[in-house]
């Protein structure tokens, strides 16, 4: 397709079932692109292009009970002059008229621009990027790491701080939405937690109206994973809760530029991913929520008033070797990726932190058992693999605790930091708060955890990671305020890991 054909608005030329064409032509005025566009899950030759048709961001009334055909175009320039791919995508009613197009046959390590069109209406133009080809020398690679964006806690302007980064993608480690709210600087569309698919859709629609978030999606591809607020993650057999979880996954899929759809009404969502960035970096993004054993195994006997019950007294139950956060299949997958990697840097993006962290409360040992501290045997196996296979430059990335935490990962808190087995950067939240009852016990425990290089809980922001053969640099990018729009992002601190060296250095 030529650019002028795409822009001319004929909507007629493409072969597709007659019914679909007819619906597309019959509906041109009702539907729009209120959530703009997004791209995601890039590989070296493909990327997912996303949009969702609706009347308006706050009007999700079904557009039609039939599928609607949408045209798309990909070009190598921002004016969409040099068209490299084009086609049609199908917005299905059963998936909320969302569109996910897997565009293949692209060149590696390139910027592309894209847009959708419905009848005469054209979407905003988005920009996306493919990854460097696997095993090819990649001299420098930059990406951003984000997590935890509670609408009511603050505005998402942290995303605008990425505008000049020239990052190749955003890695989103989950809590894209929050189901719960207690009020704040802006309100959810309803006080109640979502109870149906339509409720979850409305919640996602609200979050997508944040202008900085939308601009970030237009600017670069995302790789999004799931954490505990995106969908229920409790270990339940209750049918109503499984149904609600399925609804959360479906709405999540409908609003995210991800490759794999959940099976209809399924309470599971395929999100496991691994990527090679040339021969520079191997990144593994396991699913840390859907296959884990219960995180409340030691709740009994812990002081539930202490830090909202988030930190618990470890008990014998967590020490069993078969206890798992990843499940056997994923653990084997990760093991294989670590053992056979030829990459210079090996990243585990894990949502929750790997770092052991001991706290004391009322004379007892407490730990954050929802993190890897609740799955010690499996963590030990991963660290054994890293040590045994001499995995090159292992780096963990996490979110979840709404704090910046920089750590040399040792086997046990109190171990000599020089015996660290990997480096970890936990990125703070886009907007979610980490209140004093959670922050203070961690702050107070720092002397007992000398492997932790840096901890700060009151700043919002993201991690900017720049990777070369010789050096890994993580900039802690933080914003001056999020309680109103218009905050400014700057680099708060920077840390480096040198190739072949154990130990994070501050610069
Ligand atoms: Fe969170």
């Amino acid at each position: 397709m030529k650019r002028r054909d795409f822009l001319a608005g004929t909507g007629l030329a493409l072969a597709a079932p007659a019914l679909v064409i007819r619906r597309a032509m019959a509906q041109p005025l009702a539907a729009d692109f209120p959530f703009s566009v997004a791209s995601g899950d890039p590989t070296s030759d493909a990327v997912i292009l996303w949009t969702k048709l609706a009347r308006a961001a706050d009007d999700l009334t079904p557009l039609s009970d039939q599928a609607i055909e949408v045209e798309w175009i990909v070009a190598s320039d921002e004016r969409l002059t040099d068209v490299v791919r084009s086609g049609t995508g199908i917005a299905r009613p059963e998936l909320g008229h969302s569109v996910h197009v897997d565009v293949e046959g692209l060149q590696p390590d390139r910027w592309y621009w894209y847009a959708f069109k419905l009848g005469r209406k054209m979407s905003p133009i988005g920009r996306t990027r493919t990854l460097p080809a696997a095993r090819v020398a990649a001299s420098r690679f930059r990406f951003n790491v984000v997590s935890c964006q509670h609408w009511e806690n603050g505005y998402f302007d942290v995303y605008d701080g990425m505008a000049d980064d020239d990052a190749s993608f955003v890695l989103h480690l989950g809590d894209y939405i929050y189901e719960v709210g207690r009020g704040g600087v802006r309100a959810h569309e309803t006080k109640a937690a979502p109870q149906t698919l339509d409720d979850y859709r409305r919640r996602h629609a609200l979050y997508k109206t944040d202008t900085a978030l939308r601009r970030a999606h237009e600017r670069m591809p995302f790789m999004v994973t799931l954490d505990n607020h995106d969908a229920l993650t409790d270990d339940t057999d209750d049918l109503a809760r499984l149904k609600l979880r399925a609804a959360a996954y479906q709405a999540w899929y409908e609003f995210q530029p991800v490759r794999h759809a959940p099976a209809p009404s399924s309470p599971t969502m395929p999100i496991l991913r691994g990527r090679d960035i040339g021969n520079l970096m191997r990144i593994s993004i396991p699913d840390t929520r859907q296959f884990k054993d219960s995180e409340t195994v030691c709740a009994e006997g812990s002081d539930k008033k202490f830090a909202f019950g988030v930190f618990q007294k470890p008990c014998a139950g967590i020490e069993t070797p078969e206890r798992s956060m990843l499940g056997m299949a994923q653990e084997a997958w990760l093991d294989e990726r670590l053992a056979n990697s030829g990459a210079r840097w090996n990243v585990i993006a894990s949502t929750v932190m790997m770092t052991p962290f001991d706290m004391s409360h009322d004379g007892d040992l407490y730990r954050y058992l929802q993190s890897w501290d609740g799955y010690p045997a499996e963590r030990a196996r991963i660290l054994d693999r890293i040590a045994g296979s001499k995995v090159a430059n292992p780096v963990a990335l996490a979110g979840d605790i709404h704090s910046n935490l920089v750590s040399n990962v040792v086997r046990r808190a109190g171990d000599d930091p020089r015996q660290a087995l990997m480096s970890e950067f936990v990125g703070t939240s886009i907007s979610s708060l980490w209140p004093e009852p959670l922050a203070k016990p961690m702050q107070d425990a720092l002397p007992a955890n000398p492997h932790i290089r840096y901890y700060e809980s009151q700043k919002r922001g993201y991690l900017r990671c720049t990777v070369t053969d010789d050096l890994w640099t993580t900039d802690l990018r933080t914003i001056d305020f999020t309680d109103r729009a218009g905050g400014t992002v700057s680099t708060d601190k920077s840390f480096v890991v040198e190739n072949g060296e154990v130990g994070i250095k501050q610069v």
Side-chain angles (χ1 to χ4, degrees):
M1 196 196 317
K2 298 269 173 33
R3 172 177 179 258
R4 67 171 177 275
D5 295 335
F6 184 78
L7 300 180
T10 64
L12 290 171
L14 297 146
L19 185 65
V20 173
I21 289 280
R22 201 160 57 238
R23 293 307 304 183
M25 293 309 289
Q27 291 284 347
L29 295 176
D32 208 337
F33 302 96
F35 309 107
S36 192
V37 296
S39 68
D41 275 359
T43 67
S44 58
D45 66 353
V47 68
I48 300 294
L49 305 183
W50 172 92
T51 193
K52 181 178 154 70
L53 305 178
R55 291 164 204 275
D58 59 357
D59 181 1
L60 301 184
T61 319
L63 293 164
S64 162
D65 57 4
Q66 292 183 312
I68 299 173
E69 198 174 58
V70 183
E71 295 169 65
W72 57 267
I73 191 169
V74 176
S76 60
D77 67 305
E78 58 193 307
R79 295 185 59 245
L80 304 181
T81 307
D82 183 17
V83 176
V84 297
R85 287 280 179 280
S86 62
T88 52
I90 304 294
R92 297 180 194 285
E94 64 272 24
L95 290 172
H97 287 110
S98 59
V99 183
H100 297 77
V101 177
D102 195 352
V103 180
E104 297 176 316
L106 300 173
Q107 296 297 309
D109 209 15
R110 295 263 174 95
W111 288 111
Y112 288 100
W113 285 260
Y114 63 94
F116 293 92
K117 199 177 65 169
L118 176 73
R120 292 178 181 278
K121 268 186 195 145
M122 190 170 142
S123 72
I125 296 174
R127 187 182 73 152
T128 191
R129 190 175 177 87
T130 48
L131 301 181
R135 290 182 290 281
V136 164
S139 55
R140 177 184 180 275
F141 191 81
R142 174 174 275 182
F143 65 106
N144 296 331
V145 183
V146 304
S147 59
C148 297
Q149 46 195 48
H150 198 308
W151 176 270
E152 296 192 336
N153 283 175
Y155 289 78
F156 303 161
D157 290 303
V158 163
Y159 280 112
D160 279 342
M162 302 175 186
D164 299 322
D165 283 351
D166 213 27
S168 289
F169 63 77
V170 173
L171 174 61
H172 196 304
L173 294 176
D175 288 355
Y176 193 97
I177 61 157
Y178 280 70
E179 76 287 41
V180 286
R182 295 179 191 87
V185 300
R186 50 183 180 173
H188 278 152
E189 77 293 349
T190 166
K191 280 188 179 149
Q195 297 301 321
T196 64
L197 173 57
D198 282 342
D199 289 351
Y200 269 110
R201 285 169 167 162
R202 278 190 284 273
R203 183 60 50 88
H204 276 278
L206 174 72
Y207 276 54
K208 277 278 199 291
T209 62
D210 184 281
T211 49
L213 174 63
R214 227 168 39 214
R215 278 195 287 270
H217 276 297
E218 290 167 2
R219 198 182 289 133
M220 60 198 144
F222 275 48
M223 284 208 256
V224 191
T225 191
L226 288 155
D227 206 16
N228 55 326
H229 291 286
D230 295 297
L232 301 174
T233 57
D234 53 342
D235 40 340
T236 182
D237 294 326
D238 181 80
L239 272 182
R241 290 188 67 78
L242 289 173
K243 219 175 138 191
L244 189 53
R245 185 186 299 172
Y249 286 147
Q250 180 173 335
W252 185 85
Y253 172 75
E254 290 176 4
F255 279 87
Q256 294 296 355
V258 291
R259 184 163 275 111
H260 301 296
S265 305
S266 169
T268 63
M269 177 78 217
I271 58 164
L272 174 70
R273 292 186 208 83
R275 292 285 185 277
D276 285 332
I277 312 294
N279 60 6
L280 185 64
M281 181 167 74
R282 165 164 284 195
I283 180 162
S284 304
I285 315 173
D287 179 331
T288 56
R289 291 293 180 184
Q290 293 186 81
F291 304 103
K292 69 176 169 46
D293 291 320
S294 168
E295 59 190 31
T296 55
V297 66
C298 299
E300 202 150 312
S302 290
D303 178 357
K304 295 194 181 68
K305 290 199 191 99
F306 171 58
F308 312 123
V310 167
F311 307 130
Q312 297 168 5
K313 239 191 261 189
C315 59
I318 62 160
E319 299 290 346
T320 53
E322 61 274 19
R323 184 169 161 72
S324 177
M325 182 185 290
L326 303 181
M328 274 172 57
Q330 278 201 113
E331 189 182 325
W333 171 86
L334 182 62
D335 195 47
E336 203 272 331
R337 285 177 66 78
L338 291 171
N340 298 321
S341 173
R344 177 62 63 97
W345 302 90
N346 287 280
V347 177
I348 302 174
S350 122
T351 73
V352 291
M353 70 177 183
M354 292 284 279
T355 296
F357 198 116
D358 282 1
M359 287 173 259
S360 80
H361 168 62
D362 264 357
D364 286 318
L365 173 67
Y366 271 67
R367 288 183 181 139
Y368 180 36
L369 298 185
Q370 293 175 36
S371 76
W372 280 95
D373 266 344
Y375 303 82
E378 189 176 33
R379 175 174 59 195
R381 287 196 293 275
I382 294 169
L383 295 177
D384 285 347
R385 167 58 74 194
I386 285 169
S389 296
K390 297 193 169 48
V391 174
N393 300 310
V395 177
L397 297 171
D400 178 58
I401 55 169
H402 310 174
S403 304
N404 278 318
L405 186 145
V406 177
S407 166
N408 298 304
V409 182
V410 289
R411 289 181 184 277
R412 278 165 294 274
D415 283 359
D416 185 339
R418 285 171 299 185
Q419 292 167 0
L421 293 149
M422 69 190 308
S423 311
E424 177 160 50
F425 298 98
V426 182
T428 190
S429 57
I430 290 287
S431 68
S432 306
L433 302 175
W434 195 246
E436 180 79 1
L438 295 169
K440 192 168 183 307
M442 296 185 72
Q443 202 69 48
D444 292 347
L446 290 176
N449 295 274
H451 55 290
I452 296 185
R453 193 79 182 67
Y454 180 74
Y455 176 70
E456 206 292 320
S457 61
Q458 298 310 304
K459 293 181 181 172
R460 313 280 68 89
Y462 70 99
L463 303 179
R464 183 171 66 192
C465 303
T466 311
V467 190
T468 68
D469 272 345
D470 300 327
L471 196 69
W472 177 295
T473 306
T474 298
D475 301 313
L476 310 185
R477 302 268 294 160
T478 57
I479 192 164
D480 46 2
F481 56 83
T482 55
D483 59 350
R484 58 201 188 277
T488 303
V489 172
S490 59
T491 300
D492 187 31
K493 299 254 180 320
S494 294
F495 295 87
V496 296
V497 185
E498 290 169 21
N499 171 40
E501 300 284 320
V502 175
I504 299 170
K505 297 186 178 119
Q506 188 170 348
V507 289

